[in-house]
Amino acid sequence: MKTAKPNRPNRANRDESKLQSFLQWLHANGVELRGCDIKHCDHGRGHGLFYSDNRSDGVLLVVPLDLAITPMRVLQDPCLGPKCRAMFDEGDVDDRFLMILFLTLERVRKNSSWKPYIDMLPTTFGNPLWFSDDELLELKGTTLFRASVLQKKKLLSLYEDKVKNLAVELLDGELEREMQFEDFLWANSIFWTRALNIPFPHSYVFPQMPKEEETSHSTLFGDSSALRSINSSGAQSFVKGEEGVKCCEIDNGSEPTSSTQGETIWVEGLVPGIDFCNHDLKAAATWEVDGTGLTTGIPASMYLLSAAQSSFQLEKEILISYGNKGNEELLYLYGFVIDNNPDDYLMVHYPVEAIQTVPFADSKLQFIEAQKAEMRCLLPRSLLDSGFFPSSPHHEEENKLNNGRVCNYSWSGQRKMPSYLNKLVFPEEFLTALRTIAMKEEDLHVVSSLLHELVGSKEERQRQPSCGEVRAAVWEASGDSGALQLLVDLLQMKMMELEEGSGTEALDSELLEKAQVAHTIEGCRRQAEGTAAEKLMSRNRRSSIIYRRGQKQLTRLFLKEAEHALHVCLNEES
């Protein structure tokens, strides 16, 4: 009995029907596609935006902000609003959870008004939360492995504790089907892969609201919220960590600006239409907010603006930049990587639990806090250009991270400024922590004596020693050799963990090369049959190998820097 082949034309017809429904939905909600079309992309990237017209003003797409999925929309929803506001008051959830909850419920809601949009969204993702067990093992030894395992456990707990019963409570009788954890996981991935940090006009977020009511409303979002109030002269950005993964505030779309004057409220949200732009390091477009309508003719709208200075190729895909992100962050959030990513970075940290086992741990922790030292650091690839072995022999830029070092200060005058100071690529805040951890008992006594000499005894002390003074005292007592030896040990341990399950950097390169050759041969063989080449290596596995190979390469290069710095330091201290 022959197995029936899938009816590809029927699937194509269904996809086209969904696209047409979505375009009608956009039009009904005031969206204007002025110089672009939405079409299916190749290479499994879903749908994207493509040039359809060479407009003189460069405005390609305009979306009313009323269509954006934001915390305000969720709180104003007649069904979800009261319950979500109560959860906010109890401090149980943040505004990101609100939007993820909204997407989850709309996915299973019967006759949802958002169905045309949701039907167009991807159902599978390349981030590790969706990896099979075998695919996840490809990340073993990387920072991303542990972060992904913990994040999935956290999301499952959140679903069981808060989300699972909300579907029945809020959508009683309106459920199209029973909700599953995969629906919540899907909504989480949709948010992180498509949300933007939107500069809303202040008057749009707080329309004609009395000052006291506005203050009360703004506290709803809390200190940890993604809602940020700043002046329009500059954007606030900050970094949040998740088990070592550098997760920056969502900034898809290059550098957004607001065309309005006065205060701006930055709110995370999804903007249907604009969120179909895919990523490229060289952006072909940016997005901006038009508060007054002077640019687009539509007040309180977001528009996509072509970055092309001259004519461009019609039907070429319009790409925006998601920002300068390393592969660790790209894979964790978006599910793709860039081979030889120039923005790659390495996360190095001294385990918090390990410091409890070192001699005089309590005293050292106090000194670490007094020096505002960091137990972990990010090492961007670009730092290597300022080190002992720059990729370009003509590169002479000094390492700016070390401009704030105080190690050249010495009470006794016996410890001189190291010759390698401007070649040391490792952040001083991290070296300060390692220097403190490496101190011997006699070093601690020297530090205490130096600080006592500086500020006096407890009885006569008029002030606390400054951060810089404590750093100078620690360096005077211990120098750099102990810190650099610890750093070498940490990097060697990291390399061992990376290679333990997957082998060397060279082996990763060999796997990728073999897979590429196999794809080419298989593709040629199947071309005559009129079918696409089989995926001899899954996209997830390939992404994992590219990411971990980059981590091994960076570890090797930074280890080389640390070992050379230690060698020079020991020669100068002897």
Side-chain angles (χ1 to χ4, degrees):
M1 181 177 178
K2 293 183 178 181
T3 303
K5 292 183 179 180
N7 194 332
R8 289 191 176 87
N10 285 347
R11 180 175 180 179
N13 290 340
R14 287 195 300 270
D15 290 345
E16 180 62 25
S17 177
K18 289 179 180 180
L19 175 57
Q20 293 306 316
S21 295
F22 178 54
L23 293 174
Q24 293 172 13
W25 182 83
L26 289 175
H27 179 73
N29 284 280
V31 177
E32 297 183 3
L33 280 73
R34 298 182 179 180
C36 67
D37 289 327
I38 299 177
K39 297 181 180 181
H40 191 272
C41 303
D42 54 6
H43 306 300
R45 292 187 296 123
H47 288 80
L49 296 180
F50 293 80
Y51 289 108
S52 65
D53 185 20
N54 192 351
R55 294 182 56 87
S56 59
D57 62 0
V59 177
L60 305 171
L61 172 68
V62 185
V63 182
L65 290 177
D66 283 341
L67 194 59
I69 299 175
T70 63
M72 296 92 74
R73 169 177 284 280
V74 180
L75 293 173
Q76 293 165 2
D77 186 276
C79 175
L80 304 183
K83 180 64 177 179
C84 288
R85 188 176 294 271
M87 288 191 293
F88 253 116
D89 292 341
E90 295 169 5
D92 289 342
V93 299
D94 61 14
D95 43 5
R96 288 171 174 167
F97 174 83
L98 283 187
M99 290 178 279
I100 295 171
L101 175 64
F102 179 85
L103 288 166
T104 306
L105 296 181
E106 291 301 325
R107 195 187 197 203
V108 298
R109 186 200 290 260
K110 189 184 301 182
N111 299 321
S112 169
S113 62
W114 291 85
K115 180 175 173 55
Y117 172 60
I118 290 174
D119 282 349
M120 285 290 293
L121 298 176
T123 56
T124 58
F125 303 88
N127 69 64
L129 295 178
W130 294 83
F131 279 17
S132 67
D133 291 342
D134 288 341
E135 289 171 337
L136 194 60
L137 287 177
E138 297 287 353
L139 298 174
K140 200 74 180 289
T142 68
T143 303
L144 199 50
F145 176 79
R146 177 171 170 78
S148 300
V149 171
L150 291 178
Q151 178 68 357
K152 194 162 186 177
K153 287 182 179 178
K154 178 181 176 182
L155 290 172
L156 181 58
S157 176
L158 193 58
Y159 172 77
E160 295 289 345
D161 295 343
K162 290 188 172 67
V163 178
K164 192 174 182 179
N165 296 325
L166 279 176
V168 177
E169 180 181 346
L170 297 175
L171 301 180
D172 187 26
E174 295 183 38
L175 280 172
E176 187 172 71
R177 59 175 174 79
E178 184 179 354
M179 180 188 292
Q180 305 291 333
F181 170 63
E182 285 70 21
D183 294 309
F184 183 60
L185 191 62
W186 169 87
N188 178 78
S189 294
I190 288 295
F191 173 80
W192 282 108
T193 56
R194 305 179 82 88
L196 307 171
N197 205 13
I198 310 168
F200 280 86
H202 182 275
S203 59
Y204 183 86
V205 180
F206 303 114
Q208 298 180 343
M209 188 178 292
K211 192 68 178 177
E212 56 274 13
E213 186 179 347
E214 173 185 322
T215 303
S216 173
H217 180 76
S218 63
T219 59
L220 180 65
F221 295 90
D223 293 337
S224 63
S225 150
L227 181 68
R228 308 294 175 196
S229 176
I230 63 169
N231 292 326
S232 60
S233 58
Q236 175 172 335
S237 62
F238 50 95
V239 174
K240 292 187 176 182
E242 179 63 43
E243 291 301 317
V245 177
K246 174 176 171 281
C247 297
C248 295
E249 282 302 287
I250 296 169
D251 59 358
N252 301 4
S254 300
E255 298 181 0
T257 61
S258 174
S259 58
T260 60
Q261 298 297 319
E263 195 174 19
T264 299
I265 308 296
W266 290 78
V267 182
E268 288 178 348
L270 280 73
V271 185
I274 288 181
D275 66 343
F276 281 83
C277 285
N278 288 309
H279 166 74
D280 193 81
L281 290 175
K282 296 180 179 179
T286 59
W287 53 262
E288 301 185 5
V289 166
D290 185 5
T292 62
L294 290 176
T295 301
T296 64
I298 302 178
S301 64
M302 178 181 284
Y303 62 97
L304 193 65
L305 184 66
S306 173
Q309 299 298 317
S310 57
S311 60
F312 44 77
Q313 182 181 350
L314 295 181
E315 298 190 1
K316 181 179 179 181
E317 187 173 4
I318 303 167
L319 301 170
I320 63 174
S321 172
Y322 293 179
N324 299 327
K325 293 177 169 61
N327 280 340
E328 188 164 280
E329 192 174 0
L330 289 175
L331 186 55
Y332 186 72
L333 294 180
Y334 304 105
F336 67 87
V337 295
I338 299 173
D339 205 358
N340 299 314
N341 189 341
D343 298 306
D344 235 349
Y345 58 82
L346 185 72
M347 172 72 75
V348 182
H349 75 283
Y350 188 91
V352 176
E353 60 274 13
I355 197 174
Q356 300 295 339
T357 65
V358 303
F360 311 102
D362 291 341
S363 297
K364 291 179 178 180
L365 283 171
Q366 290 178 8
F367 278 125
I368 287 174
E369 183 178 354
Q371 297 172 91
K372 298 179 181 178
E374 300 288 343
M375 300 285 283
R376 64 177 62 201
C377 70
L378 284 176
L379 301 175
R381 179 185 294 272
S382 58
L383 286 180
L384 293 167
D385 289 333
S386 302
F388 295 104
F389 309 101
S391 57
S392 170
H394 304 294
H395 191 97
E396 298 181 355
E397 181 182 351
E398 292 185 351
N399 183 4
K400 296 179 181 179
L401 280 177
N402 289 316
N403 286 347
R405 294 189 71 182
V406 295
C407 300
N408 58 325
Y409 179 84
S410 173
W411 270 273
S412 64
Q414 295 179 358
R415 195 178 290 281
K416 306 299 182 182
M417 179 169 27
S419 64
Y420 53 81
L421 183 65
N422 290 327
K423 291 292 185 180
L424 205 57
V425 299
F426 303 98
E428 175 60 20
E429 290 76 12
F430 186 58
L431 287 178
T432 295
L434 298 183
R435 197 178 292 121
T436 306
I437 294 169
M439 281 196 299
K440 300 180 176 63
E441 181 178 5
E442 55 268 28
D443 298 333
L444 287 168
H445 291 311
V446 171
V447 172
S448 297
S449 175
L450 290 171
L451 295 177
H452 174 79
E453 176 186 333
L454 183 67
V455 299
S457 64
K458 288 185 178 180
E459 293 74 18
E460 62 187 22
R461 186 178 301 166
Q462 300 297 317
R463 65 177 180 86
Q464 293 292 328
S466 69
C467 168
E469 289 168 341
V470 179
R471 286 191 184 188
V474 171
W475 181 80
E476 166 77 10
S478 61
D480 283 336
S481 59
L484 291 172
Q485 182 62 65
L486 263 183
L487 181 58
V488 168
D489 294 342
L490 288 174
L491 289 168
Q492 288 177 339
M493 180 64 68
K494 190 170 187 70
M495 183 63 85
M496 288 177 59
E497 292 173 350
L498 286 168
E499 293 181 346
E500 183 177 4
S502 58
T504 63
E505 177 188 339
L507 182 57
D508 286 337
S509 296
E510 183 180 345
L511 288 172
L512 292 170
E513 289 170 5
K514 286 182 177 179
Q516 182 61 41
V517 170
H519 271 293
T520 303
I521 295 174
E522 186 71 5
C524 293
R525 184 179 71 80
R526 290 182 171 269
Q527 187 173 12
E529 301 176 12
T531 59
E534 291 181 357
K535 292 185 177 179
L536 302 181
M537 177 184 286
S538 73
R539 176 185 173 185
N540 292 346
R541 187 171 179 232
R542 181 178 181 276
S543 295
S544 299
I545 295 175
I546 290 174
Y547 158 62
R548 78 183 185 214
R549 181 181 65 173
Q551 292 292 286
K552 291 171 186 176
Q553 182 188 68
L554 288 177
T555 302
R556 171 175 57 82
L557 293 173
F558 279 111
L559 177 58
K560 184 179 179 181
E561 291 283 338
E563 289 175 334
H564 188 77
L566 176 60
H567 175 74
V568 175
C569 176
L570 290 174
N571 285 340
E572 293 188 3
E573 288 186 359
S574 60

Short mmCIF file of all heavy atoms in Angstrom, two decimals, residues 350-390:
data_model
loop_
_atom_site.label_atom_id
_atom_site.label_comp_id
_atom_site.label_asym_id
_atom_site.label_seq_id
_atom_site.Cartn_x
_atom_site.Cartn_y
_atom_site.Cartn_z
N TYR A 350 33.03 34.01 38.06
CA TYR A 350 33.54 33.24 39.20
C TYR A 350 32.34 32.74 39.97
O TYR A 350 31.52 33.55 40.42
CB TYR A 350 34.43 34.10 40.09
CG TYR A 350 35.15 33.30 41.16
CD1 TYR A 350 36.42 32.78 40.91
CD2 TYR A 350 34.56 33.04 42.39
CE1 TYR A 350 37.08 32.03 41.87
CE2 TYR A 350 35.21 32.29 43.36
CZ TYR A 350 36.47 31.78 43.09
OH TYR A 350 37.11 31.02 44.04
N PRO A 351 32.17 31.43 40.15
CA PRO A 351 30.96 30.90 40.80
C PRO A 351 30.77 31.47 42.20
O PRO A 351 31.70 31.46 43.02
CB PRO A 351 31.22 29.39 40.84
CG PRO A 351 32.24 29.14 39.77
CD PRO A 351 33.09 30.37 39.73
N VAL A 352 29.57 31.97 42.45
CA VAL A 352 29.28 32.56 43.76
C VAL A 352 29.46 31.53 44.86
O VAL A 352 29.96 31.83 45.96
CB VAL A 352 27.84 33.13 43.77
CG1 VAL A 352 27.50 33.67 45.15
CG2 VAL A 352 27.68 34.22 42.72
N GLU A 353 29.04 30.28 44.57
CA GLU A 353 29.14 29.25 45.61
C GLU A 353 30.59 28.91 45.92
O GLU A 353 30.91 28.46 47.03
CB GLU A 353 28.39 27.99 45.18
CG GLU A 353 28.88 27.34 43.89
CD GLU A 353 28.26 27.91 42.63
OE1 GLU A 353 27.63 28.99 42.71
OE2 GLU A 353 28.41 27.28 41.57
N ALA A 354 31.50 29.14 44.95
CA ALA A 354 32.90 28.77 45.14
C ALA A 354 33.60 29.70 46.13
O ALA A 354 34.52 29.29 46.85
CB ALA A 354 33.64 28.77 43.81
N ILE A 355 33.17 30.97 46.16
CA ILE A 355 33.86 31.92 47.04
C ILE A 355 33.64 31.58 48.51
O ILE A 355 34.44 31.96 49.38
CB ILE A 355 33.40 33.37 46.74
CG1 ILE A 355 34.41 34.35 47.35
CG2 ILE A 355 32.01 33.63 47.27
CD1 ILE A 355 34.15 35.79 46.98
N GLN A 356 32.56 30.86 48.81
CA GLN A 356 32.31 30.49 50.20
C GLN A 356 33.35 29.51 50.73
O GLN A 356 33.50 29.35 51.94
CB GLN A 356 30.92 29.87 50.33
CG GLN A 356 29.78 30.78 49.89
CD GLN A 356 29.63 32.01 50.75
OE1 GLN A 356 30.09 32.04 51.90
NE2 GLN A 356 28.99 33.04 50.21
N THR A 357 34.08 28.87 49.82
CA THR A 357 35.07 27.87 50.23
C THR A 357 36.48 28.45 50.34
O THR A 357 37.39 27.74 50.80
CB THR A 357 35.09 26.69 49.23
OG1 THR A 357 35.53 27.16 47.95
CG2 THR A 357 33.69 26.09 49.08
N VAL A 358 36.70 29.68 49.92
CA VAL A 358 38.04 30.26 49.98
C VAL A 358 38.29 30.80 51.38
O VAL A 358 37.36 31.14 52.12
CB VAL A 358 38.22 31.38 48.93
CG1 VAL A 358 37.92 30.87 47.55
CG2 VAL A 358 37.34 32.58 49.27
N PRO A 359 39.56 30.87 51.81
CA PRO A 359 39.88 31.40 53.14
C PRO A 359 39.42 32.86 53.28
O PRO A 359 39.51 33.64 52.34
CB PRO A 359 41.41 31.29 53.20
CG PRO A 359 41.77 30.25 52.19
CD PRO A 359 40.76 30.38 51.10
N PHE A 360 38.89 33.18 54.46
CA PHE A 360 38.46 34.54 54.81
C PHE A 360 37.39 35.05 53.82
O PHE A 360 37.44 36.20 53.38
CB PHE A 360 39.65 35.50 54.85
CG PHE A 360 40.81 35.00 55.66
CD1 PHE A 360 41.92 34.46 55.04
CD2 PHE A 360 40.77 35.04 57.04
CE1 PHE A 360 43.00 33.98 55.77
CE2 PHE A 360 41.84 34.57 57.79
CZ PHE A 360 42.96 34.04 57.16
N ALA A 361 36.46 34.17 53.49
CA ALA A 361 35.43 34.50 52.49
C ALA A 361 34.61 35.73 52.88
O ALA A 361 34.35 36.59 52.03
CB ALA A 361 34.52 33.30 52.27
N ASP A 362 34.22 35.82 54.15
CA ASP A 362 33.37 36.95 54.57
C ASP A 362 34.08 38.28 54.39
O ASP A 362 33.50 39.26 53.90
CB ASP A 362 32.93 36.77 56.03
CG ASP A 362 31.96 35.60 56.19
OD1 ASP A 362 31.35 35.19 55.17
OD2 ASP A 362 31.83 35.09 57.32
N SER A 363 35.35 38.33 54.79
CA SER A 363 36.11 39.58 54.65
C SER A 363 36.29 39.94 53.19
O SER A 363 36.16 41.11 52.80
CB SER A 363 37.48 39.43 55.32
OG SER A 363 37.35 39.22 56.71
N LYS A 364 36.55 38.96 52.37
CA LYS A 364 36.76 39.23 50.95
C LYS A 364 35.47 39.70 50.28
O LYS A 364 35.50 40.58 49.41
CB LYS A 364 37.31 37.98 50.27
CG LYS A 364 38.74 37.64 50.70
CD LYS A 364 39.28 36.39 50.04
CE LYS A 364 40.72 36.12 50.48
NZ LYS A 364 41.29 34.91 49.86
N LEU A 365 34.34 39.12 50.67
CA LEU A 365 33.06 39.56 50.11
C LEU A 365 32.78 41.01 50.48
O LEU A 365 32.23 41.78 49.67
CB LEU A 365 31.94 38.65 50.60
CG LEU A 365 31.83 37.29 49.92
CD1 LEU A 365 30.82 36.40 50.64
CD2 LEU A 365 31.42 37.45 48.45
N GLN A 366 33.17 41.41 51.70
CA GLN A 366 32.99 42.81 52.11
C GLN A 366 33.86 43.73 51.26
O GLN A 366 33.42 44.81 50.84
CB GLN A 366 33.33 42.96 53.60
CG GLN A 366 32.32 42.30 54.52
CD GLN A 366 32.72 42.41 55.99
OE1 GLN A 366 33.68 43.11 56.34
NE2 GLN A 366 31.99 41.71 56.84
N PHE A 367 35.10 43.31 51.01
CA PHE A 367 35.99 44.12 50.16
C PHE A 367 35.47 44.19 48.72
O PHE A 367 35.56 45.22 48.07
CB PHE A 367 37.41 43.55 50.19
CG PHE A 367 38.22 43.98 51.38
CD1 PHE A 367 38.80 43.04 52.22
CD2 PHE A 367 38.40 45.32 51.67
CE1 PHE A 367 39.55 43.43 53.32
CE2 PHE A 367 39.14 45.72 52.78
CZ PHE A 367 39.72 44.77 53.60
N ILE A 368 34.94 43.08 48.22
CA ILE A 368 34.38 43.07 46.86
C ILE A 368 33.23 44.07 46.76
O ILE A 368 33.13 44.83 45.79
CB ILE A 368 33.91 41.64 46.49
CG1 ILE A 368 35.12 40.75 46.23
CG2 ILE A 368 33.00 41.67 45.27
CD1 ILE A 368 34.78 39.29 45.99
N GLU A 369 32.38 44.08 47.77
CA GLU A 369 31.25 45.03 47.77
C GLU A 369 31.75 46.46 47.87
O GLU A 369 31.25 47.36 47.18
CB GLU A 369 30.31 44.71 48.93
CG GLU A 369 29.09 45.58 48.98
CD GLU A 369 28.14 45.21 50.11
OE1 GLU A 369 28.40 44.18 50.80
OE2 GLU A 369 27.15 45.93 50.33
N ALA A 370 32.76 46.70 48.71
CA ALA A 370 33.29 48.06 48.89
C ALA A 370 33.93 48.58 47.61
O ALA A 370 33.94 49.80 47.35
CB ALA A 370 34.31 48.09 50.03
N GLN A 371 34.46 47.68 46.79
CA GLN A 371 35.12 48.09 45.54
C GLN A 371 34.17 48.12 44.35
O GLN A 371 34.58 48.43 43.24
CB GLN A 371 36.27 47.12 45.22
CG GLN A 371 37.38 47.12 46.26
CD GLN A 371 38.38 46.01 45.99
OE1 GLN A 371 39.37 46.21 45.29
NE2 GLN A 371 38.13 44.83 46.53
N LYS A 372 32.89 47.75 44.58
CA LYS A 372 31.90 47.66 43.51
C LYS A 372 32.41 46.76 42.39
O LYS A 372 32.29 47.06 41.20
CB LYS A 372 31.56 49.06 42.97
CG LYS A 372 30.95 49.97 44.02
CD LYS A 372 30.65 51.35 43.46
CE LYS A 372 30.07 52.27 44.53
NZ LYS A 372 29.80 53.63 44.02
N ALA A 373 33.01 45.66 42.80
CA ALA A 373 33.57 44.70 41.85
C ALA A 373 32.47 43.80 41.31
O ALA A 373 31.39 43.68 41.89
CB ALA A 373 34.66 43.88 42.51
N GLU A 374 32.75 43.14 40.19
CA GLU A 374 31.79 42.26 39.54
C GLU A 374 32.34 40.84 39.51
O GLU A 374 33.51 40.63 39.21
CB GLU A 374 31.51 42.72 38.10
CG GLU A 374 30.93 44.12 37.99
CD GLU A 374 29.49 44.19 38.46
OE1 GLU A 374 28.86 43.12 38.57
OE2 GLU A 374 29.00 45.31 38.71
N MET A 375 31.46 39.87 39.79
CA MET A 375 31.86 38.47 39.80
C MET A 375 31.76 37.83 38.42
O MET A 375 32.07 36.66 38.25
CB MET A 375 30.99 37.68 40.79
CG MET A 375 31.08 38.19 42.21
SD MET A 375 32.61 37.70 43.01
CE MET A 375 32.25 35.99 43.37
N ARG A 376 31.27 38.58 37.44
CA ARG A 376 31.18 38.08 36.07
C ARG A 376 31.45 39.20 35.10
O ARG A 376 31.35 40.38 35.46
CB ARG A 376 29.81 37.46 35.81
CG ARG A 376 28.65 38.45 35.88
CD ARG A 376 27.35 37.75 35.53
NE ARG A 376 27.05 36.69 36.47
CZ ARG A 376 26.24 35.68 36.21
NH1 ARG A 376 25.68 35.58 35.02
NH2 ARG A 376 25.99 34.76 37.11
N CYS A 377 31.79 38.85 33.88
CA CYS A 377 32.03 39.88 32.89
C CYS A 377 31.69 39.36 31.50
O CYS A 377 31.72 38.15 31.24
CB CYS A 377 33.48 40.37 32.93
SG CYS A 377 34.68 39.15 32.35
N LEU A 378 31.35 40.29 30.62
CA LEU A 378 31.17 40.00 29.20
C LEU A 378 32.44 40.42 28.47
O LEU A 378 32.94 41.52 28.67
CB LEU A 378 29.98 40.79 28.64
CG LEU A 378 28.58 40.30 28.98
CD1 LEU A 378 27.56 41.27 28.42
CD2 LEU A 378 28.33 38.92 28.43
N LEU A 379 32.93 39.54 27.62
CA LEU A 379 34.12 39.82 26.85
C LEU A 379 33.77 39.84 25.37
O LEU A 379 33.77 38.80 24.70
CB LEU A 379 35.19 38.75 27.12
CG LEU A 379 35.65 38.61 28.58
CD1 LEU A 379 36.61 37.44 28.71
CD2 LEU A 379 36.29 39.89 29.08
N PRO A 380 33.43 41.02 24.82
CA PRO A 380 33.13 41.10 23.38
C PRO A 380 34.36 40.78 22.55
O PRO A 380 35.50 41.06 22.94
CB PRO A 380 32.71 42.57 23.20
CG PRO A 380 32.41 43.08 24.57
CD PRO A 380 33.28 42.31 25.50
N ARG A 381 34.12 40.21 21.38
CA ARG A 381 35.20 39.88 20.47
C ARG A 381 36.05 41.11 20.14
O ARG A 381 37.28 41.01 19.97
CB ARG A 381 34.62 39.29 19.18
CG ARG A 381 35.67 38.94 18.13
CD ARG A 381 35.01 38.49 16.84
NE ARG A 381 34.29 37.24 17.00
CZ ARG A 381 34.84 36.04 16.85
NH1 ARG A 381 36.12 35.94 16.55
NH2 ARG A 381 34.13 34.94 17.00
N SER A 382 35.42 42.26 20.08
CA SER A 382 36.13 43.49 19.70
C SER A 382 37.25 43.85 20.67
O SER A 382 38.19 44.55 20.30
CB SER A 382 35.14 44.65 19.60
OG SER A 382 34.46 44.84 20.84
N LEU A 383 37.18 43.37 21.92
CA LEU A 383 38.25 43.66 22.89
C LEU A 383 39.60 43.11 22.43
O LEU A 383 40.65 43.66 22.77
CB LEU A 383 37.90 43.05 24.25
CG LEU A 383 36.81 43.73 25.09
CD1 LEU A 383 36.61 42.97 26.39
CD2 LEU A 383 37.16 45.18 25.37
N LEU A 384 39.56 42.04 21.68
CA LEU A 384 40.82 41.39 21.27
C LEU A 384 41.67 42.31 20.41
O LEU A 384 42.89 42.14 20.35
CB LEU A 384 40.51 40.10 20.53
CG LEU A 384 39.87 38.99 21.39
CD1 LEU A 384 39.31 37.89 20.50
CD2 LEU A 384 40.89 38.42 22.37
N ASP A 385 41.06 43.28 19.74
CA ASP A 385 41.83 44.20 18.91
C ASP A 385 42.69 45.14 19.75
O ASP A 385 43.56 45.82 19.21
CB ASP A 385 40.88 45.03 18.03
CG ASP A 385 40.26 44.20 16.93
OD1 ASP A 385 40.88 43.21 16.51
OD2 ASP A 385 39.13 44.52 16.50
N SER A 386 42.43 45.20 21.06
CA SER A 386 43.20 46.08 21.93
C SER A 386 44.21 45.32 22.79
O SER A 386 44.84 45.89 23.66
CB SER A 386 42.25 46.86 22.86
OG SER A 386 41.33 47.62 22.13
N GLY A 387 44.33 44.02 22.55
CA GLY A 387 45.16 43.20 23.41
C GLY A 387 46.57 42.97 22.90
O GLY A 387 47.09 43.71 22.05
N PHE A 388 47.18 41.90 23.41
CA PHE A 388 48.55 41.57 23.03
C PHE A 388 48.63 41.02 21.60
O PHE A 388 49.66 41.13 20.94
CB PHE A 388 49.13 40.51 24.00
CG PHE A 388 49.29 41.00 25.40
CD1 PHE A 388 48.39 40.63 26.39
CD2 PHE A 388 50.33 41.85 25.74
CE1 PHE A 388 48.53 41.07 27.69
CE2 PHE A 388 50.49 42.30 27.05
CZ PHE A 388 49.58 41.90 28.03
N PHE A 389 47.53 40.41 21.15
CA PHE A 389 47.55 39.74 19.84
C PHE A 389 46.39 40.24 18.98
O PHE A 389 45.46 39.47 18.67
CB PHE A 389 47.46 38.22 20.02
CG PHE A 389 48.45 37.67 21.00
CD1 PHE A 389 48.06 37.36 22.31
CD2 PHE A 389 49.77 37.48 20.64
CE1 PHE A 389 48.97 36.85 23.21
CE2 PHE A 389 50.69 36.97 21.54
CZ PHE A 389 50.30 36.66 22.84
N PRO A 390 46.39 41.51 18.59
CA PRO A 390 45.28 42.05 17.78
C PRO A 390 45.21 41.37 16.42
O PRO A 390 46.23 40.97 15.85
CB PRO A 390 45.62 43.54 17.66
CG PRO A 390 47.10 43.60 17.84
CD PRO A 390 47.44 42.51 18.82
#
